[in-house]
Amino acid sequence: MKGIRKHLACFGLAIRDMQKFMPFLLWGKLISSIAEAVLQVWQPVLIAELFRLAADLEGGNLLLFKRDIVFLCICIGSPAVCTMLLRAVGLYGEGKKETCYGWKMYDFAGKLRLEALEKPEVLDSFRNADAAYSQHLAASRMFSYLLMDVRSVLVCVSTFFVVGSFSLWLLPGAVLGVLPYLAIDIFSEKHRSGTYRGQAGKRRRLVYLWKLFCTKEPVKEMRTMGFSGFLKEKWVAANVEVVREMEEVELRAIRWSAAGILLKNLCYVANVAIAVILMVRGELAVGQFAACLTAFGLLQDNLSLLSTFVVSFLQSWHHVEEYYDFFRAETEEEGQEDYRPFRREITLRGVHFRYPGGDRDALDGVDLTIRKGEHVVIVGVNGSGKTTLSKVLTGTYPACSGDVCYDDQNITKMKKNGLYRDISIVPQDFVHYNFSLGENITVSDFGRREDQAGLAKVAEAVGMQELMRGIGGPKAQLGREFGGVELSGGEWQKVAIARGLFRDSSLIILDEPTSALDPLVEYEILTNFLRLIQGKTSVIISHRVGICRHADKIVVMKDGKAVEWGSHEELKKAGGEYARIWGEQAKWY
Ligand code: ADP
């Protein structure tokens, strides 16, 4: 019952969105279908009327005869006009689908809980929903097939009546020929779409593997390391698995369909035999017998059509469900209070966080205070929880338990957009946009994208004025994909830091910002950075301890816990984890 309600709910949503996004398409299809059906029925009536009038044209019927001839021409010509109009409206639908269904999806994606994107099933749902509207324009097709189904059902039902009016003995054969055949097709389609849905993860993996063959970085690595054969094997195996599963489904569908066709044809033969017997017994006139044969043929043809339309309708309906299923993903829980810029401190108390599907806490009871204006460096070995801490600190991922407060305002109570406006984050995996150099930096505060002085200031802080001049200024296109300039890893890191600095925020977080830079450049950039953000609060995450001398406070993470905090001198003297890491790294210099 719940399943049926869900199916119907999706249907309702699809019609509501069609009315909102493409009313022309919705009403155009409905009106043209009704018009076609009426004209189809009207045509034989008109012909009969014309025959009647033709018998007595002299008797003043000429005017009526002419009018009916015009109507008949309209009847014959209209379907072609309707089809043309529908094609034009369909084109309009194709053109609008991105701005309607696409934007609805991307608006919603903007509200998704970011940690939900760690879940494969959410990514599968994203892919299915995207394919549903972009490749199938599912709602529009579903509606078209629904109308075709209704038309075919009406023809089948009226044919039943015609057959039944000759003799009730003919009805069981007609019904038996129809129902199992239809049921088999519906069942096969259900099985087919269920299998296809179940393959979403495998298909996403196929797309991923395929992309490795045609994306620059993996192709380079594959060639130089010589493992293209290995990747091809993986891709072929994944492909074979997906194709084989679908083949099994189709083979089973063909077997069942063959049984359905056999039954349908047996019923046809049985009905012909019954009709012959009835005629021999004198219960059917010869003309009625001929009409029966015609009706059986009509039923067979319309049944095949109905079955095709029903299957296509169900296919589209499944796509529609995939589209609307996406909107069931968890969205970010928004607090009710406006964010109040913090004046004293950010505090974390007993914070735990575990990634979806993870088997241990990435943060295991973290207590920490960051005072306003403080420059904090978080150090620790790989996997100790530094990056996760920065995500929970900024509310990107909500803590599973414990409190994160900006002064006395709990992060769970705030409207996130206000908070995000006051924070600037340079993540480890920052994006290399194939935009101009200037856009790559100013994208963090795009309302100020014309602020050339601000741009020059941050470019100077990260030591990239020379680079900027060398490649043709801020307007130079970056990235080879569209024929621009490619930067080195270190140069891209400078761009990312400049992006973080350009944004006017009171808290700035740099996650491993200088890992690709040589130590001298690192030192220069980070000291410039600290100079430029005087008065702001900063958190620098690093597994290198070189920068720690300049920090107001160092926090050491180990196994998801903040195990030590204090100044460089204090922690060195304490002889704990920090002193150990410092000692280890000092050996290298
Ligand atoms: P660090 O920044 O100190 O290197 P992270 O905060 O990135 O460490 O990771 C802490 C722990 O969380 C690690 O054990 C890591 O395996 C796990 N982890 C990190 N990202 C994810 C993720 N997206 N899904 C599941 N586990 C993750």
Side-chain angles (χ1 to χ4, degrees):
M1 195 65 194
K2 206 172 147 206
I4 294 178
R5 222 178 294 149
K6 189 188 145 208
H7 291 316
L8 289 177
C10 279
F11 183 81
L13 287 173
I15 298 295
R16 193 198 62 188
D17 277 350
M18 270 190 83
Q19 164 67 24
K20 189 162 134 206
F21 297 149
M22 313 176 168
F24 284 151
L25 201 66
L26 181 76
W27 291 102
K29 281 187 178 179
L30 190 63
I31 291 169
S32 79
S33 288
I34 294 172
E36 269 188 65
V38 169
L39 293 174
Q40 237 176 14
V41 177
W42 199 21
Q43 206 170 313
V45 176
L46 271 177
I47 292 174
E49 176 76 356
L50 280 170
F51 270 111
R52 194 182 62 75
L53 295 172
D56 188 17
L57 279 183
E58 300 299 311
N61 284 338
L62 190 59
L63 242 157
L64 288 178
F65 187 80
K66 281 182 189 163
R67 186 199 65 184
D68 284 356
I69 286 283
V70 173
F71 282 159
L72 186 64
C73 291
I74 293 175
C75 274
I76 293 169
S78 304
V81 176
C82 283
T83 310
M84 260 173 51
L85 281 177
L86 274 183
R87 276 179 63 184
V89 177
L91 262 182
Y92 158 84
E94 275 291 324
K96 274 196 77 178
K97 67 183 183 187
E98 302 295 342
T99 47
C100 300
Y101 292 97
W103 276 117
K104 182 178 163 112
M105 250 185 93
Y106 291 115
D107 277 349
F108 182 79
K111 295 183 208 143
L112 274 181
R113 278 170 83 114
L114 287 170
E115 101 218 67
L117 294 174
E118 305 279 353
K119 297 183 188 173
E121 58 272 24
V122 173
L123 301 179
D124 289 347
S125 168
F126 200 108
R127 179 194 170 273
N128 286 346
D130 187 35
Y133 92 80
S134 59
Q135 291 166 24
H136 305 286
L137 193 50
S140 155
R141 284 198 196 174
M142 180 186 78
F143 188 63
S144 301
Y145 287 121
L146 176 69
L147 294 173
M148 294 183 197
D149 283 338
V150 171
R151 217 167 47 197
S152 295
V153 166
L154 287 179
V155 175
C156 284
V157 169
S158 56
T159 318
F160 280 152
F161 276 109
V162 171
V163 169
S165 70
F166 294 134
S167 167
L168 290 180
W169 287 107
L170 296 170
L171 270 186
V175 174
L176 254 182
V178 174
L179 293 186
Y181 181 74
L182 252 184
I184 284 171
D185 274 356
I186 291 172
F187 175 76
S188 295
E189 171 47 29
K190 200 165 156 43
H191 192 202
R192 184 181 294 120
S193 65
T195 309
Y196 189 87
R197 248 186 200 205
Q199 287 183 332
K202 290 177 191 163
R203 288 179 185 273
R204 197 159 50 77
R205 191 173 150 73
L206 262 181
V207 173
Y208 165 75
L209 287 168
W210 181 248
K211 268 199 192 148
L212 294 180
F213 290 112
C214 42
T215 313
K216 190 176 66 179
E217 281 75 23
V219 166
K220 261 194 270 176
E221 188 165 307
M222 189 190 310
R223 289 264 177 90
T224 48
M225 306 273 246
F227 60 84
S228 55
F230 166 73
L231 275 189
K232 191 174 169 195
E233 232 171 70
K234 263 186 176 309
W235 181 75
V236 170
N239 220 335
V240 166
E241 197 184 342
V242 166
V243 171
R244 198 161 284 160
E245 274 179 17
M246 281 322 280
E247 260 173 18
E248 273 174 31
V249 172
E250 291 303 337
L251 276 177
R252 192 194 284 195
I254 289 173
R255 275 199 294 271
W256 276 99
S257 184
I261 290 173
L262 189 67
L263 188 63
K264 189 175 80 157
N265 287 341
L266 281 178
C267 289
Y268 179 69
V269 172
N271 264 1
V272 173
I274 292 172
V276 170
I277 293 169
L278 291 173
M279 187 181 65
V280 172
R281 281 205 200 155
E283 289 175 33
L284 274 186
V286 178
Q288 283 176 320
F289 175 73
C292 268
L293 290 189
T294 313
F296 294 154
L298 195 68
L299 202 58
Q300 291 270 323
D301 290 347
N302 270 286
L303 192 54
S304 301
L305 273 183
L306 177 63
S307 166
T308 311
F309 293 153
V310 166
V311 168
S312 305
F313 166 72
L314 290 177
Q315 271 169 357
S316 310
W317 194 348
H318 290 139
H319 288 309
V320 164
E321 287 186 327
E322 276 164 359
Y323 181 77
Y324 289 101
D325 272 353
F326 172 66
F327 296 90
R328 287 177 217 278
E330 287 170 83
T331 49
E332 196 147 47
E333 278 164 31
E334 271 290 45
Q336 296 301 313
E337 298 173 8
D338 284 333
Y339 163 72
R340 297 189 292 274
F342 69 105
R343 291 163 190 276
R344 296 188 310 277
E345 61 196 15
I346 305 168
T347 41
L348 279 77
R349 280 188 292 268
V351 167
H352 287 260
F353 179 81
R354 181 177 292 198
Y355 283 95
D359 56 2
R360 67 182 189 90
D361 284 353
L363 294 182
D364 188 10
V366 175
D367 292 301
L368 179 67
T369 302
I370 298 169
R371 293 194 203 293
K372 173 99 181 163
E374 220 171 26
H375 300 311
V376 178
V377 175
I378 301 180
V379 292
V381 294
N382 287 335
S384 55
K386 305 182 295 294
T387 298
T388 311
L389 178 63
S390 74
K391 289 174 178 165
V392 173
L393 177 75
T394 52
T396 320
Y397 287 0
C400 300
S401 64
D403 293 313
V404 179
C405 294
Y406 282 58
D407 289 340
D408 51 2
Q409 192 178 22
N410 197 305
I411 205 164
T412 54
K413 304 236 167 73
M414 307 172 181
K415 289 182 186 159
K416 290 283 163 43
N417 277 346
L419 171 66
Y420 292 158
R421 266 197 294 277
D422 203 25
I423 296 178
S424 176
I425 307 177
V426 181
Q428 261 177 57
D429 47 359
F430 62 88
V431 185
H432 301 195
Y433 294 105
N434 278 265
F435 301 158
S436 73
L437 174 58
E439 285 168 336
N440 257 289
I441 295 173
T442 57
V443 70
S444 60
D445 199 352
F446 65 86
R448 288 172 45 228
R449 59 186 173 279
E450 301 302 335
D451 179 2
Q452 295 305 317
L455 176 61
K457 195 166 147 196
V458 295
E460 187 189 343
V462 299
M464 62 184 305
Q465 315 94 307
E466 210 173 302
L467 170 76
M468 200 184 269
R469 271 196 301 273
I471 62 172
K475 291 213 175 341
Q477 164 79 27
L478 296 191
R480 287 299 307 150
E481 208 152 317
F482 299 103
V485 182
E486 194 49 270
L487 302 183
S488 71
E491 287 165 344
W492 268 115
Q493 275 196 338
K494 289 182 181 181
V495 171
I497 299 171
R499 188 184 295 163
L501 273 174
F502 186 76
R503 185 173 170 84
D504 190 15
S505 58
S506 28
L507 172 64
I508 175 160
I509 296 179
L510 303 187
D511 188 356
E512 302 278 3
T514 48
S515 54
L517 296 172
D518 54 72
L520 278 181
V521 177
E522 176 186 39
Y523 180 80
E524 196 184 322
I525 289 184
L526 288 180
T527 43
N528 274 346
F529 169 79
L530 292 176
R531 183 175 49 77
L532 209 69
I533 59 159
Q534 282 309 316
K536 292 185 180 182
T537 313
S538 74
V539 175
I540 300 177
I541 295 168
S542 178
H543 63 273
R544 296 215 293 235
V545 287
I547 177 68
C548 290
R549 281 177 198 272
H550 298 276
D552 297 319
K553 187 194 298 174
I554 301 158
V555 177
V556 184
M557 292 293 295
K558 187 178 180 189
D559 298 333
K561 293 187 175 70
V563 287
E564 292 171 17
W565 51 89
S567 69
H568 169 71
E569 295 304 333
E570 284 165 358
L571 292 183
K572 244 184 92 185
K573 221 179 278 168
E577 179 71 3
Y578 178 77
R580 188 188 69 75
I581 300 175
W582 177 269
E584 285 293 318
Q585 293 191 6
K587 286 184 202 160
W588 291 91
Y589 299 107

